[in-house]
């Protein structure tokens, strides 16, 4: 049996954690296809530089607020399907018991499946990853008014590397806001520039960690001294905007969110795109693979563009600059 080279060791045993640096330099490009004609896309040079520097791009009002309505409705319809609510793909909020996340959105609904193949989103993602792409994971994170709990600071890549065997940093999340995101309803917070560093985390992965980590993450959370260092360096940003706004964020950028203290729901859709050249291997720091709906290792066919959303026609058009 051969073990793949591990460029990003994490989930360290407590007794030798002290021997490891607080963070190590990123060993992968951020934009994987700079100046490669084949992967030209809608993002201009300014946008690519921002993404390179900050690890994310924010498009306020990418799609119109009204055009998100049918997608939000689809979500509400799904929440009324008793069979779905029973499934492991639905994660309950640790505090209220309401739906926190539903994984595998693109397989549960044709509408969301088509959205993963939207030419505008796919064009940007292929440009950033410099290859064909497939969906590694898709989910909705719901925070109902007054109820939704937050998420502690983490890098998604840390988990995908440790628990799913994702070898390199060559994935990007597209998060589409299906409701408004404001300062009160628990918007996503990010540390700009943190994607340039990998923070090894302490604590070995227990069996079936995902059965608890998706409710409240305990492992894969950087220590506070390191978070403070990176936070002081890059600051914290929380992009806010109307439903239809879009956030593209690099798989290793540190992010978190607070609970929803407002009367308004916060529903954000996440599609995680991975390069077809970065398929999953054996987990680097866990004894078992996670289920397919958390990390795809079989359904890895490159996505083809789907160009048939009359309700989204003429929106989100190039050239795209993005902003903080
Ligand atoms: O375990 C995971 O794959 C995930 N958990 C978090 C907190 N964020 C990203 C991803 O969905
Ligand atoms: Fe995350």
């Amino acid at each position: 049996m051969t073990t793949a080279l591990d460029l990003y060791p994490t989930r360290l045993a407590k007794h030798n954690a002290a021997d490891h640096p607080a963070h190590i330099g990123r060993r992968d490009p951020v934009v994987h296809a700079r100046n490669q004609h084949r992967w030209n896309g809608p993002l201009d040079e300014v946008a690519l530089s921002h993404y390179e520097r900050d690890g994310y791009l924010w498009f306020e009002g990418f799609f119109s607020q009204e055009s998100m309505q049918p997608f939000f409705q689809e979500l509400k319809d799904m929440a009324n399907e008793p069979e779905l609510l029973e499934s492991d793909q639905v994660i309950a909020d640790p505090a209220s018991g309401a739906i926190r996340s539903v994984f595998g959105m693109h397989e549960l609904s044709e509408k969301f499946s088509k959205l993963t193949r939207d030419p505008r989103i796919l064009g940007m993602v292929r440009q950033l990853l410099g290859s064909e792409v497939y969906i590694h994971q898709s989910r909705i994170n719901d925070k109902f008014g007054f109820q939704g709990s937050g998420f502690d600071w983490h890098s998604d890549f840390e988990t995908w590397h440790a628990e799913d065997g994702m070898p390199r940093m060559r994935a990007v999340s597209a998060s589409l806001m299906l409701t408004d995101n404001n300062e009160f309803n628990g918007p996503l917070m990010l540390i700009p520039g943190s994607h340039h560093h990998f923070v090894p985390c302490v604590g070995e992965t227990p069996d079936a960690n995902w059965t608890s980590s998706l409710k409240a993450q305990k492992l894969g959370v950087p220590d506070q001294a390191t978070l403070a260092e990176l936070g002081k360096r890059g600051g914290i940003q929380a992009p806010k905007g109307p439903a239809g706004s879009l956030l593209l964020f690099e798989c290793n950028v540190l992010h978190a969110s607070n609970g929803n203290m407002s009367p308004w729901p916060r529903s954000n859709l996440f599609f995680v795109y991975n390069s077809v050249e970065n398929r999953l291997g054996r987990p680097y720091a866990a004894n078992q693979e996670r289920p397919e709906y958390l990390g795809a290792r079989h359904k890895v066919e490159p996505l083809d563009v789907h160009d048939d959303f009359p309700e989204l026609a003429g929106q989100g058009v190039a050239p795209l600059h993005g902003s903080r």
Side-chain angles (χ1 to χ4, degrees):
M1 191 180 72
T2 54
T3 310
L5 177 71
D6 187 357
L7 293 177
Y8 301 107
T10 187
R11 310 289 167 108
L12 312 173
K14 283 203 177 71
H15 61 267
N16 60 20
D19 302 338
H20 277 78
H23 50 80
I24 58 175
R26 181 187 179 100
R27 302 170 81 170
D28 291 300
V30 177
V31 176
H32 292 261
R34 215 74 193 248
N35 305 321
Q36 283 179 38
H37 185 68
R38 176 152 185 229
W39 304 111
N40 275 353
L43 295 169
D44 63 12
E45 268 306 309
V46 177
L48 293 174
S49 306
H50 279 185
Y51 183 80
E52 176 107 42
R53 182 192 66 190
D54 294 341
Y56 69 90
L57 285 171
W58 172 242
F59 303 98
E60 187 170 329
F62 189 78
F63 294 130
S64 75
Q65 221 165 353
E66 310 79 68
S67 61
M68 291 299 102
Q69 208 42 47
F71 293 98
F72 192 50
Q73 187 57 46
E74 176 91 347
L75 200 66
K76 288 199 256 180
D77 294 345
M78 287 169 73
N80 288 326
E81 287 172 31
E83 243 172 73
L84 176 62
L85 297 181
E86 295 290 296
S87 99
D88 290 343
Q89 285 169 245
V90 177
I91 312 296
D93 187 283
S96 69
I99 294 180
R100 173 174 171 84
S101 306
V102 180
F103 284 87
M105 289 297 289
H106 68 300
E107 295 193 329
L108 295 169
S109 139
E110 186 56 25
K111 217 174 168 61
F112 288 117
S113 163
K114 286 178 186 165
L115 199 53
T116 63
R117 291 172 278 139
D118 180 89
R120 290 151 282 207
I121 299 176
L122 211 44
M124 293 192 281
V125 166
R126 285 174 174 160
Q127 191 179 3
L128 294 172
L129 299 183
S131 69
E132 297 288 350
V133 300
Y134 69 95
I135 295 291
H136 165 69
Q137 179 189 88
S138 73
R139 65 189 189 278
I140 182 88
N141 284 349
D142 270 328
K143 291 181 185 174
F144 294 93
F146 300 125
Q147 303 187 18
S149 305
F151 290 81
D152 210 340
W153 287 105
H154 65 279
S155 143
D156 291 339
F157 175 76
E158 194 277 344
T159 293
W160 299 336
H161 184 71
E163 299 192 30
D164 295 332
M166 183 184 282
R168 314 292 294 241
M169 295 178 183
R170 197 170 174 183
V172 59
S173 291
S175 180
L176 183 62
M177 324 278 136
L178 296 185
T179 61
D180 296 357
N181 276 228
N182 55 44
E183 57 267 67
F184 313 112
N185 66 357
L188 199 73
M189 304 183 282
L190 309 110
I191 299 183
S194 55
H195 62 303
H196 292 297
H197 312 278
F198 181 74
V199 184
C201 297
V202 179
E204 288 163 290
T205 314
D207 286 349
N209 183 43
W210 69 89
T211 54
S212 60
S213 69
L214 302 171
K215 294 184 185 212
Q217 189 174 352
K218 298 272 182 301
L219 290 169
V221 175
D223 63 87
Q224 289 187 353
T226 310
L227 284 170
E229 183 195 335
L230 296 176
K232 279 179 196 156
R233 228 187 264 186
I236 298 178
Q237 296 283 329
K240 293 172 280 282
S245 298
L246 178 74
L247 178 73
L248 293 182
F249 65 105
E250 207 280 331
C251 59
N252 187 48
V253 72
L254 290 171
H255 58 283
S257 66
N258 282 313
N260 185 353
M261 298 294 283
S262 80
W264 307 293
R266 191 216 77 159
S267 288
N268 291 350
L269 195 58
F270 294 79
F271 297 141
V272 183
Y273 296 88
N274 191 24
S275 165
V276 294
E277 292 162 26
N278 193 35
R279 288 189 184 137
L280 307 184
R282 290 168 58 100
Y284 288 88
N287 294 326
Q288 12 161 210
E289 294 169 359
R290 300 200 299 174
E292 183 82 10
Y293 62 81
L294 294 177
R297 51 180 71 243
H298 302 296
K299 296 172 204 148
V300 294
E301 284 303 303
L303 297 177
D304 282 325
V305 162
H306 172 91
D307 204 353
D308 182 29
F309 275 119
E311 63 270 43
L312 300 179
Q315 303 184 37
V317 286
L320 296 167
H321 302 290
S323 68
R324 276 197 170 175

